[in-house]
Amino acid sequence: MTKDVIALTPKMPDLRTLLAGLHAGGPDLGVNTLADGAVIQLCAADGRPLVSVEAPLLVQVPGETDRLLGAGAGAGSGTGPVLLDGPVWWTEARASTAVAEGGRLAGSFAGRLAHVLDGAVWPPEAASTEVVPLSSDITAIPVPPTSVPAVDVLTTRAAVVIQDRPVVAMTSWLSDALRSATADDRALQIVTQPTTRLTLPTRTALHGHPNRWVVQDRDNGYYDGLSGARLHWQGGIFTPLTDADGNPSLAEAFTAPADTGERQLVLSLHTRRPADENLVLGTALETAWQHLTGAAPAGWSTAEPVNLSWSTRRLTDFARSRAPHPTWLIAIGHPDRPALATLRVTRTPGGIEEAITLTLGYAKDEPPPLDALEPLAEALVTEHGLITLITSLRTARRDLSVPPHFEPPPIPVSFTLGPDETKHMEDARALHPPLALTPAHLGSAARPGLHYHLGDGTDPRTWSMLQHLTQRLKPA
């Protein structure tokens, strides 16, 4: 049963159109609002939610619907326009899994919006405009124990979310579910089919134990899509199965596929600059993007889909509006060069710090631009207050999505220390590290940054080299 249905329309659905769509269940059903009106719910007569609808989102970033929903997701229905290149209004409906008619109600809601506004529905087979009578015995269905629409099963230990889309993105629904679960000391556990993939922000969110990606495989049962551990439901949470020695049992489906030659270049950089009224955030990320792709990022947002066109000024204004609280953001590249970054902005006693992870995808015949790393490191040292930069290369998908099978860890390529990190070091430790690594001096001769070239990203032993180097460079 389809539970997530999305209407993609060239015009914004106004309140009247939304209400017309919500009449998919007939006049006997009611309407409720959550989150200060950002979520509208179609409810049974006794208030039980049947379908939850997120406020329409204007996606202005080209290729974003294809990235998250698959190629051609924004194609019109035949009489309507083609919406592939946007901008497009994204209106998402999420059906309750407790009611048999939920998926059909969500499909009729989205179908009505697409019909009125000449749009499209994802998935296409869910679309309809029919009235869906409610025949289930609602009184036999318990009232949901949570007001978070994304959560399907809630126990004292876990909030379980069932997803049936090709790519699980860090949507506002899922962000709310993660925040709620964390606040209540619960695990967030996402259950999918084995054909589903995650976006990088979703994978990052699930790395914190005991959060899990639970893959339901017909032949292997349940297993963790990130670690491969076989799972079972016990005590209100998915936990690993162990062998006689107490070690986790691995699912056969998690084995690594054949190497296709696709690679990902991963940059982890940390900057710090003084907090003043002229500070513009996001410029270090933009500089990295320009050096490695020849263009600025295409868009940014606080969740997926990434909907706002790239603007360092708007990004800065948003972070200032949240200060002194931290701000977490996503940036996305143009479709011809897969690139995605997460950015965390925090206020510290030393100034404003930005922690950035930027990942770029390359096909077998697209060599990653390793020769651009040292010039980039110098620009970050001289202009953006670089603290550290670690660059690595990994065998992984060009499209940056995360499949539910083994992927090798990244292999370091280079390591850079900014001037603030090197000024307290003895020259002997910094300039004559072990393994005959001679750093390149970047920026000012009086206060240089140090850039260490470690390899070409093909030798796993480079991790040991990096470990020895960082131990050597620790302040006395």
Side-chain angles (χ1 to χ4, degrees):
M1 178 190 71
T2 298
K3 60 179 296 187
D4 296 340
V5 186
I6 300 166
L8 302 168
T9 59
K11 302 176 184 177
M12 178 182 177
D14 57 18
L15 182 57
R16 180 177 297 180
T17 306
L18 290 171
L19 291 176
L22 288 168
H23 278 112
D28 295 334
L29 301 184
V31 175
N32 189 20
T33 59
L34 298 173
D36 296 325
V39 177
I40 302 175
Q41 289 186 325
L42 177 64
C43 303
D46 63 353
R48 285 174 172 81
L50 307 174
V51 176
S52 299
V53 179
E54 187 91 347
L57 184 70
L58 179 60
V59 179
Q60 304 175 66
V61 181
E64 190 64 348
T65 55
D66 280 2
R67 182 177 75 90
L68 300 180
L69 303 178
S77 57
T79 58
V82 176
L83 309 172
L84 290 175
D85 295 326
V88 62
W89 287 93
W90 173 301
T91 307
E92 186 162 341
R94 185 171 178 82
S96 168
T97 54
V99 181
E101 296 85 2
R104 291 172 57 207
L105 283 167
S108 182
F109 163 81
R112 289 168 177 234
L113 261 62
H115 178 75
V116 172
L117 300 173
D118 291 330
V121 173
W122 180 90
E125 63 272 14
S128 78
T129 57
E130 64 182 355
V131 173
V132 181
L134 191 63
S135 58
S136 299
D137 182 7
I138 295 295
T139 60
I141 300 172
V143 176
T146 176
S147 60
V148 180
V151 175
D152 297 292
V153 178
L154 190 72
T155 72
T156 57
R157 301 178 66 190
V160 179
V161 176
I162 301 171
Q163 291 277 268
D164 57 359
R165 47 176 96 199
V167 177
V168 178
M170 185 46 60
T171 61
S172 57
W173 302 94
L174 207 51
S175 295
D176 289 344
L178 177 61
R179 282 192 294 268
S180 178
T182 302
D184 295 336
D185 198 25
R186 290 185 173 96
L188 177 67
Q189 302 195 324
I190 301 175
V191 180
T192 76
Q193 296 299 309
T195 54
T196 296
R197 291 166 281 122
L198 306 183
T199 64
L200 291 175
T202 305
R203 181 183 68 179
T204 300
L206 291 181
H207 261 157
H209 180 77
N211 298 336
R212 289 192 186 277
W213 177 15
V214 181
V215 180
Q216 186 178 14
D217 185 77
R218 182 178 61 183
D219 299 322
N220 291 269
Y222 295 101
Y223 70 94
D224 189 306
L226 298 179
S227 71
R230 294 174 59 218
L231 304 172
H232 65 151
W233 181 257
Q234 184 179 50
I237 194 170
F238 283 101
T239 59
L241 287 166
T242 56
D243 58 22
D245 297 325
N247 299 315
S249 175
L250 295 182
E252 292 182 7
F254 192 69
T255 56
D259 185 358
T260 63
E262 293 178 290
R263 297 290 184 269
Q264 292 177 4
L265 183 64
V266 184
L267 287 79
S268 298
L269 61 125
H270 190 185
T271 67
R272 183 192 302 117
R273 289 179 291 170
D276 62 54
E277 60 181 12
N278 296 319
L279 176 64
V280 179
L281 300 173
T283 55
L285 177 59
E286 183 175 89
T287 296
W289 225 291
Q290 290 277 9
H291 273 75
L292 298 174
T293 73
W300 71 282
S301 186
T302 58
E304 295 174 293
V306 175
N307 65 309
L308 300 172
S309 298
W310 178 253
S311 167
T312 55
R313 175 52 60 190
R314 291 184 66 184
L315 187 156
T316 302
D317 290 343
F318 177 77
R320 281 181 173 158
S321 72
R322 290 182 44 80
H325 301 292
T327 296
W328 183 85
L329 304 167
I330 303 170
I332 195 75
H334 297 274
D336 59 343
R337 168 53 58 220
L340 186 146
T342 58
L343 166 66
R344 182 176 175 84
V345 181
T346 53
R347 177 72 180 264
T348 69
I352 304 299
E353 299 191 10
E354 295 175 76
I356 299 166
T357 301
L358 168 60
T359 307
L360 305 98
Y362 299 90
K364 183 178 182 179
D365 58 350
E366 297 174 322
L370 301 186
D371 56 350
L373 296 179
E374 186 172 325
L376 167 60
E378 180 150 27
L380 294 173
V381 164
T382 58
E383 302 171 20
H384 300 284
L386 181 71
I387 300 174
T388 58
L389 166 65
I390 299 177
T391 305
S392 56
L393 199 61
R394 63 179 307 185
T395 298
R397 293 174 62 106
R398 179 184 186 272
D399 66 7
L400 308 184
S401 64
V402 182
H405 57 63
F406 174 78
E407 289 187 315
I411 298 174
V413 173
S414 64
F415 176 64
T416 309
L417 279 174
D420 286 347
E421 300 303 298
T422 62
K423 66 181 179 181
H424 299 301
M425 292 181 180
E426 298 173 8
D427 286 348
R429 288 188 293 123
L431 301 180
H432 303 286
L435 306 175
L437 287 174
T438 301
H441 287 222
L442 307 178
S444 166
R447 294 185 62 240
L450 299 177
H451 178 77
Y452 299 87
H453 176 72
L454 304 175
D456 61 1
T458 61
D459 187 353
R461 292 174 297 180
T462 313
W463 274 116
S464 178
M465 185 187 303
L466 178 61
Q467 183 179 23
H468 285 303
L469 175 62
T470 53
Q471 288 292 330
R472 173 83 173 188
L473 295 178
K474 282 184 177 180

